[in-house]
């Protein structure tokens, strides 16, 4: 601000000084011009008296170097000139000052020389004998005068600007001194201050109080956040958009073996795992990601979510859940599934053998239909169960499967045709909508996903209900949505329906003939294909399962 005040003062001083010089020079030029004209008239009076008494003799005796005298006859013929031969000069009857003198007894005119930058004044007077005497004098024009005075003018201008600069520095310093002494921490207690600043200081005081209130509120919320995160068993890490740690709770410090001074440092200094770094970058780009992380004998699930503010990405939040017990239970369940598949084959063969004996006539005729039907239904159910268990075991092993170009809508249509009879048996309307969606995927797994979702939607539907299968293209992937109008799933059980052998209603599930492995197969197939599955359901209104591949 001091610099701007100094520049303004210097600009005003320079402008005023320059304007003053121009005005003064203009007035001086006009003044000396008028003096010159009066002197020319006085010289004319003297010369006229001399010519009247002495004629040409008088003119020949003059030696004035500055003034030029020309004696002209009434017809314009030059009789005598103090600077040129009269015989060589042209007729002057057409000259303005001569014509005016012949007509009005006197005449005046001015003529400029652009090459010499001079102005010549002419004054003519008619003598009693009818002749005209003209006197002239040349003097510098305003431009020539300005050029002649350029050096002293520049010197004066330079000295004046130096003086103005010194004064401007002192004035701007005195102006800024009260402003530099302002105490903004106590804006209303500044006594020696310009009264024009009073509204500004009042506003600063109000804003300062508002900021203090906001800071207190932020501190309170920060304390609450710290207390909550410190008591969490789950690890919590807040990162900014550059991957720098903003906040970390004790559980996360224990997980990543870090110190409290890691706040403000890059997360890579705390955890150098490429999987974790990729998960963070994926979350920043796509919104969410999750991975499993092993630490010794413990397993953790890391959920990373993107944080947005005002439409812009400002960071990410990382939550770490200890899933060791859940993973152990899942492994135990997988082992049980593998074992039970082998154990069930022996009684299955026995049931089939008994059925063959009965078919050969070793069972009473009256018991044959009931016994055979029961054995065959149980055998088919066991075979279905074994097939489901084997498929789950294959998915658990994550053996590589060949990829093919498939149409998801065609697979959904084939599954709907296969289940059409079951749907008609329950009076359920089954339809497939959507456009063709080509994918590079595993056809067998896609058929398992679509078939099991549609089969469940029909099994747990109501009489006269509906099932809608929607297929959509999603950029480089696809979305499969199966919506039914069935009985629905209670909220507390929605997370568990993908567990093996888990049944929401065991009596109802047995009646429908399900094995309890359908949704577990779907979940593992989706995971194998690198997709995501989401379930939304309301009791009595139906269920929607959404699969993104």
């Amino acid at each position: 601000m001091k610099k701007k005040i100094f520049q303004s003062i210097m600009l005003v001083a320079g402008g005023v000084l320059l304007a003053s010089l121009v005005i003064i020079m203009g007035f001086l030029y006009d003044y000396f011009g008028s003096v010159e004209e009066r002197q020319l008239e006085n010289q004319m009076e003297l010369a006229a008296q001399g010519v009247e008494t002495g004629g040409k003799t008088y003119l020949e005796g003059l030696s004035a170097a500055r003034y030029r005298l020309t004696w002209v006859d009434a017809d314009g013929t030059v009789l005598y000139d103090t600077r040129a031969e009269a015989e060589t000069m042209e007729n002057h009857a057409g000259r303005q000052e001569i014509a005016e003198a012949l007509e009005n007894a006197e005449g005046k005119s001015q003529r400029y020389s652009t090459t010499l930058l001079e102005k010549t004044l002419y004054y003519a007077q008619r003598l009693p004998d009818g002749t005209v005497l003209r006197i002239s004098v040349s003097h510098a024009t305003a431009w020539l005068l300005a050029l002649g005075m350029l050096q002293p003018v520049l010197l004066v201008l330079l000295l004046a600007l130096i003086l103005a600069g010194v004064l401007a520095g002192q004035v701007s310093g005195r102006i800024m001194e009260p402003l530099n002494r302002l105490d903004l921490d106590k804006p209303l207690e500044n006594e020696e201050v310009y009264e024009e600043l009073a509204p500004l200081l009042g506003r600063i005081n109000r804003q300062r109080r508002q900021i203090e209130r906001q800071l207190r509120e932020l501190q309170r919320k920060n304390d609450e956040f710290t207390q909550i995160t410190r008591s969490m068993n789950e690890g919590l890490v807040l990162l900014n958009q550059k991957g720098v740690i903003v906040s970390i709770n004790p559980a996360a410090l224990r997980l990543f073996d870090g110190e409290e001074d890691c706040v403000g440092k890059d997360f890579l200094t705390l955890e150098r795992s490429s999987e974790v770094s990729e998960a963070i970058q994926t979350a920043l780009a796509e919104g969410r990601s999750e991975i499993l992380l092993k630490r010794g004998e413990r397993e953790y699930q890391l959920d990373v979510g993107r944080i947005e503010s005002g439409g812009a990405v400002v960071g990410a939040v990382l939550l770490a859940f200890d899933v060791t017990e859940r993973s152990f239970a899942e492994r135990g369940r997988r082992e049980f599934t593998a074992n039970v598949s082998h154990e069930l084959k022996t009684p299955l063969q026995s049931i089939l053998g008994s059925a063959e004996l009965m078919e050969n006539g070793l069972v009473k005729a009256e018991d044959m239909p009931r016994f055979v039907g029961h054995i065959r239904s149980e055998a088919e159910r066991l075979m279905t169960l074994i097939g489901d268990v084997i498929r789950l075991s294959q998915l658990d092993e994550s053996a590589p499967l060949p990829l093919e170009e498939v149409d998801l809508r065609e697979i959904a249509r084939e599954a709907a045709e296969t289940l059409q009879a079951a749907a008609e048996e329950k009076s359920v309307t089954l339809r497939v909508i959507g456009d063709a969606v080509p994918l590079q995927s595993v056809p067998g797994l896609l058929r398992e996903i679509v078939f099991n979702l549609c089969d469940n939607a029909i099994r747990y539907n109501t009489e006269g209900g509906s099932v809608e299968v929607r297929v959509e293209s999603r950029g480089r992937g696809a979305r499969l949505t199966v919506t039914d109008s069935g009985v629905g799933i209670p909220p507390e059980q929605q997370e568990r329906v993908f567990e093996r052998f888990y049944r929401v209603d065991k009596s109802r599930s047995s009646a429908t003939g399900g094995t309890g492995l359908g949704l577990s197969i779907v979940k593992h197939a989706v995971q194998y294909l690198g997709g995501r599955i989401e379930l939304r359901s309301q009791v009595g209104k139906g269920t929607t399962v959404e699969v993104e591949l």
Side-chain angles (χ1 to χ4, degrees), residues 176-220:
M176 291 300 300
E177 186 177 357
L179 298 179
N180 293 331
R181 291 200 306 264
L182 285 177
D183 185 1
L184 296 182
D185 291 331
K186 300 175 182 178
L188 298 183
E189 297 182 10
N190 294 281
E191 297 180 356
E192 297 180 3
V193 70
Y194 303 115
E195 60 181 14
E196 291 82 1
L197 294 179
L200 174 62
L201 294 175
R203 183 176 297 177
I204 291 175
N205 184 62
R206 291 192 297 271
Q207 290 181 346
R208 183 172 174 275
R209 291 181 179 178
Q210 183 179 359
I211 291 173
E212 288 177 350
R213 288 195 298 269
Q214 292 174 345
L215 288 175
R216 287 195 296 269
E217 181 66 18
L218 288 175
Q219 185 61 45
R220 184 183 64 81

Side-chain angles (χ1 to χ4, degrees), residues 288-483:
R288 188 178 181 277
S289 65
E290 62 178 38
I291 60 169
L292 287 176
L293 183 68
K294 289 186 177 182
R295 282 289 186 271
E297 297 181 355
R298 311 296 296 178
E299 288 189 14
Y300 296 88
Q301 178 180 320
L302 302 186
D303 289 346
V304 188
R306 182 172 62 195
I307 303 175
E308 298 181 358
S309 178
V313 178
V314 297
V317 56
L318 185 149
L319 280 172
F321 301 92
D322 189 341
V323 294
T324 305
E325 288 75 15
R326 191 175 70 184
S327 298
F328 178 78
E330 191 71 18
R331 284 194 296 270
R333 192 180 294 273
R334 286 197 296 267
E335 292 174 0
F336 167 76
T337 302
N339 293 332
V340 77
S341 63
H342 294 288
E343 294 294 333
L344 290 176
K345 284 185 178 180
T346 301
L348 178 61
Q349 294 297 331
S350 176
I351 292 173
L352 290 176
S354 299
E356 289 177 0
L357 291 175
M358 290 183 231
E359 288 177 349
N360 290 331
L362 300 177
V363 179
K364 293 181 180 180
E366 61 271 17
D367 296 329
M368 185 74 68
R370 179 179 61 82
F371 205 55
V372 170
H374 176 72
I375 292 176
R376 283 191 174 276
S377 63
E378 288 297 316
E380 290 172 356
R381 185 171 181 181
L382 287 175
M383 289 297 293
T384 302
L385 175 61
I386 291 172
D388 289 345
V389 170
I390 293 174
R391 279 192 292 274
L392 276 174
S393 298
Q394 292 172 342
L395 290 173
D396 288 337
E397 294 297 327
S398 297
L401 298 174
L403 298 177
E404 296 179 21
E405 182 76 18
V406 295
D407 184 354
L408 184 58
R409 184 187 65 173
E410 186 64 23
I411 290 178
R413 189 182 59 79
E414 292 174 0
E417 289 178 358
T418 303
L419 293 168
Q420 190 62 43
E424 291 176 354
E425 187 175 330
K426 292 196 66 174
S427 300
V428 172
T429 303
L430 175 61
R431 63 173 184 156
V432 178
I433 60 176
D435 300 326
V437 181
L439 284 176
Q440 279 286 339
S441 189
V442 182
L445 295 184
L446 290 179
R447 291 189 182 95
E448 290 282 353
I449 293 170
V450 179
F451 182 90
N452 280 295
L453 290 178
C454 293
D455 186 44
N456 267 12
I458 295 172
R459 287 178 184 274
Y460 300 99
N461 216 316
T462 56
E463 290 289 333
S466 64
V467 176
E468 179 184 277
V469 182
R470 179 182 295 272
V471 180
E472 301 171 278
S473 177
R474 302 288 291 179
R476 297 177 60 185
R479 175 184 289 172
L480 171 71
T481 306
V482 179
T483 305

Side-chain angles (χ1 to χ4, degrees), residues 2-28:
K2 182 178 180 180
K3 183 178 179 181
K4 290 185 177 180
I5 294 175
F6 178 82
Q7 291 175 346
S8 300
I9 294 175
M10 289 297 296
L11 184 63
V12 172
V16 170
L17 180 60
L18 186 61
S20 300
L21 288 174
V22 171
I23 293 172
I24 291 172
M25 289 181 63
F27 277 115
L28 289 176

Side-chain angles (χ1 to χ4, degrees), residues 20-52:
S20 300
L21 288 174
V22 171
I23 293 172
I24 291 172
M25 289 181 63
F27 277 115
L28 289 176
Y29 183 78
D30 290 341
Y31 172 74
F32 286 111
S34 62
V35 170
E36 186 76 36
E37 290 180 2
R38 288 196 297 272
Q39 289 179 350
L40 194 63
E41 292 176 3
N42 292 335
Q43 294 294 334
M44 172 58 78
E45 292 179 2
L46 296 174
Q49 291 293 329
V51 171
E52 288 178 6

